[in-house]
Amino acid sequence: MKKSDVGVVVFIYGICLFFYYYLQELPPEAQTYPLCLISGLFILNTLFVVLNLIKLKKTGMENDLHSVFEGFLKSQFFTVLAACVIYIAGVYYIGFYITSIAYLIIIMSFLKVPLKNSVLTVFVLGLVIYFVFTMFLKVPLPMGVVFE
């Protein structure tokens, strides 16, 4: 287990607790999907902890704090951060589907993901989002103020 893993694990448990607390404010029929996501995140995080504790007994705690941000690219980080802020505004103004597709295309081209992988990702995620949220869960996604 690495020292940097400890902070990440605590942060993920904090996210689970935060969303579980606010989940209680939703009506019971709207709690199913978010509870599944929170439970999945909690289970995966716990599995990660258990596997790392087993590994910890064998190898001990590895101090990787000096190398955590090695190779960190400030320009890449702040560009993606700015794109996320623009994405949130885009969902409000031009809607979820158009903004999501544009965001994925722009970010993957910026991160130099091969074209074949980018097209496949946009296509598959578009289908998954459409069928899960629109068809299965019947969740109305934002259409944007421009198209309302």
Side-chain angles (χ1 to χ4, degrees):
M1 185 170 208
K2 300 175 184 175
K3 280 192 175 181
S4 61
D5 292 339
V6 175
V8 173
V9 164
V10 170
F11 182 73
I12 297 297
Y13 280 132
I15 288 174
C16 291
L17 184 63
F18 175 80
F19 281 105
Y20 182 76
Y21 176 78
Y22 283 103
L23 175 69
Q24 304 308 309
E25 296 177 5
L26 294 175
E29 60 273 3
Q31 292 181 4
T32 306
Y33 180 71
L35 188 58
C36 288
L37 291 178
I38 294 168
S39 300
L41 186 59
F42 182 86
I43 290 167
L44 288 173
N45 200 43
T46 303
L47 181 62
F48 179 78
V49 169
V50 169
L51 292 175
N52 275 295
L53 288 175
I54 292 168
K55 185 178 170 184
L56 180 66
K57 285 185 176 183
K58 295 177 185 174
T59 62
M61 180 71 76
E62 180 184 335
N63 186 0
D64 67 334
L65 295 178
H66 62 280
S67 65
V68 169
F69 291 105
E70 194 174 293
F72 179 73
L73 302 173
K74 290 179 188 175
S75 62
Q76 189 178 59
F77 174 78
F78 288 112
T79 302
V80 171
L81 183 63
C84 290
V85 171
I86 293 168
Y87 172 76
I88 292 168
V91 168
Y92 176 76
Y93 288 108
I94 60 174
F96 181 80
Y97 289 114
I98 296 170
T99 306
S100 296
I101 290 170
Y103 174 80
L104 285 171
I105 291 170
I106 291 167
I107 289 298
M108 285 192 284
S109 65
F110 174 74
L111 296 175
K112 296 178 178 56
V113 175
L115 183 62
K116 177 182 169 186
N117 295 352
S118 296
V119 170
L120 186 61
T121 300
V122 169
F123 181 73
V124 170
L125 279 177
L127 286 176
V128 167
I129 289 168
Y130 177 75
F131 282 109
V132 169
F133 289 101
T134 306
M135 301 300 289
F136 178 66
L137 295 173
K138 302 200 185 325
V139 174
L141 297 172
M143 296 302 294
V145 294
V146 171
F147 297 109
E148 286 183 353

